[in-house]
Amino acid sequence: MTAHRDVVPARMAGDGPTYGFAPGHIAGGYLFVSGQLGLYATGDVPEDPATQGRLALEALGEVLAEAGCTFADVTSLHTFHVGSIAEANIWFLPAKAALFGPPYPAWTAVGVTNLAVDGAIIEISAIAELPD
């Protein structure tokens, strides 16, 4: 059994301690990825929804890579959308399809009224099985 440990990509080293979380956490052979927002490296929020989605997926990919995982290892995906999920799917589904293929992860999409950063419209968390 894998020991518990935090997964913190260098770019995210200052993100979690202030709020008491790690970008990722390994336990029981799985990587649990905290919600990733679609922000520029400066912390600014892009106005374009598709850019936010791409950046959130890239941030997810950084945490996966730091743990030795890829998008193929993701078993469960959770997305949180401000506004209409149907409208978000216009730009989010193509971005998601570029990274995930069969066998697909389980996916839960939830509509919310707001996220932790003003202007953010998507947050993505995931669970990935650690490779052997």
Side-chain angles (χ1 to χ4, degrees):
M1 183 87 34
T2 306
H4 284 244
R5 72 176 174 90
D6 290 340
V7 176
V8 184
R11 182 177 73 87
M12 299 177 187
D15 294 349
T18 300
Y19 299 101
F21 76 96
H25 188 87
I26 291 175
Y30 288 89
L31 168 66
F32 299 86
V33 182
S34 295
Q36 300 297 311
L37 297 171
L39 308 176
Y40 290 120
T42 60
D44 293 326
V45 180
E47 289 185 28
D48 176 51
T51 301
Q52 281 195 42
R54 179 181 53 79
L55 290 171
L57 287 165
E58 286 176 8
L60 172 61
E62 285 182 55
V63 180
L64 291 168
E66 185 72 19
C69 295
T70 69
F71 286 97
D73 297 311
V74 173
T75 58
S76 184
L77 186 69
H78 307 91
T79 58
F80 304 89
H81 304 264
V82 174
S84 166
I85 294 175
E87 288 179 24
N89 280 341
I90 294 168
W91 52 265
F92 184 67
L93 288 179
K96 184 170 135 308
L99 298 170
F100 294 97
Y104 295 104
W107 178 34
T108 301
V110 178
V112 298
T113 57
N114 59 13
L115 296 169
V117 174
D118 287 340
I121 62 167
I122 185 166
E123 185 166 348
I124 304 171
S125 66
I127 301 169
E129 186 174 22
L130 297 173
D132 293 331

